[in-house]
Amino acid sequence: MSTNKYLRGRLVSRTPLVLVHGNPESAVIWGPLIGELDRPDAIVVSPPGFGVPAPRGFDSSTTAYRNWLASQLEMFGAPVDVVGHDWGGIHVAALAMSRPDLIRSWASDALGVFAPDYAWHPRAQVWQQEGAGEASVQELWGGDLQQRLAVASALGMTGRMAERVAAGMDPEMGHAVLKLLRSARQPAMAEAGRLLAQAAQRPGLALIAVDDFERASGTVEQHEWAARQAGATTAHLHGVGHWWPEETPAPVAEALADFWAQLPAPQTATAPGPRS
């Protein structure tokens, strides 16, 4: 019997669940969401350089990460439900535009970056500059654990989120950030956004963290615009900020469960409701 408060009385999908994190994160951030969803079978894939070493010759560009994610999902042999946070959300959206055959559904909290008027946040713009970017990476990723904790706190993380992220930050991640952000200089993301309609081939969910005050992934209006282009359902998550995987996973888990409950699932089982 399912004890998951989000799934009781619903169809429980056996579709594999794949989670993709962003910058400057590693796989450990997903623990709270996995717990909320009661999905111990969820599979976390770490983008090269972000918690796992990058293969030799990997160029850490937006295209390379999209192709890397496709290679990971190809191994399942069947469509999956894929969820991305931060840059992971960008990788997921790019995959939905290019390889819909690999997914049953997709969810992203970063669609706003594809809006034609999106401007990268100030830190990203520094990373996109030669020289200044290298200096920033050395400062942010090159220190000891206490210095990295201070960086995580300055990015708005608290408690276990800050500790987990700081532990995974290293110079290799910083170098990957430089290559990734430089491949995404505008107008690169605006041009990629012209293909958003291709993502409508599979059901999508735009997770809009309304309390993401820095709007690193775009304004609410930019998220909504991109969701319309992609034919995606929107979930306006009030009280949810940018670092929701650790800080506020419950509203996101509920939005995901509501979304998945509406999808056709060829392999399903009915979860019994609570006993009267």
Side-chain angles (χ1 to χ4, degrees), residues 142-262:
D144 60 22
L145 179 58
Q146 289 303 313
Q147 290 170 312
R148 299 196 305 272
L149 273 170
V151 169
S153 297
L155 293 174
M157 302 177 206
T158 59
R160 290 182 302 170
M161 179 78 175
E163 294 171 359
R164 291 174 177 178
V165 168
M169 294 175 69
D170 59 22
E172 181 179 359
M173 183 184 293
H175 295 315
V177 168
L178 291 180
K179 294 177 182 179
L180 178 56
L181 267 296
R182 288 171 182 177
S183 75
R185 287 188 185 103
Q186 292 293 21
M189 302 314 296
E191 291 174 352
R194 296 174 183 171
L195 302 178
L196 278 168
Q198 297 184 18
Q201 296 178 69
R202 294 293 185 271
L205 176 64
L207 297 165
I208 303 176
V210 175
D211 287 14
D212 182 0
F213 296 113
E214 290 193 349
R215 307 294 180 215
S217 300
T219 64
V220 171
E221 293 75 20
Q222 288 168 333
H223 283 281
E224 291 171 340
W225 177 89
R228 290 194 297 273
Q229 305 309 304
T233 301
T234 58
H236 290 75
L237 302 164
H238 295 275
V240 173
H242 187 81
W243 307 111
W244 56 262
E246 174 74 41
E247 296 177 349
T248 50
V252 180
E254 185 169 10
L256 288 168
D258 287 343
F259 171 60
W260 293 327
Q262 305 304 315

Side-chain angles (χ1 to χ4, degrees), residues 21 45-46 60 69 90 110 115 141 159 177 204-205 239 242 269 274:
H21 60 79
V45 294
S46 295
S60 298
L69 183 54
I90 299 174
W141 277 269
V177 168
L205 176 64
H242 187 81

Side-chain angles (χ1 to χ4, degrees), residues 85-103:
H85 171 249
D86 187 80
W87 260 104
I90 299 174
H91 303 327
V92 164
L95 178 90
M97 298 181 213
S98 59
R99 292 295 306 273
D101 58 300
L102 297 175
I103 56 179

Side-chain angles (χ1 to χ4, degrees), residues 61-78:
S61 67
T62 55
T63 300
Y65 281 107
R66 181 200 67 195
N67 294 342
W68 158 81
L69 183 54
S71 72
Q72 299 298 297
L73 300 190
E74 284 171 347
M75 292 190 287
F76 286 86

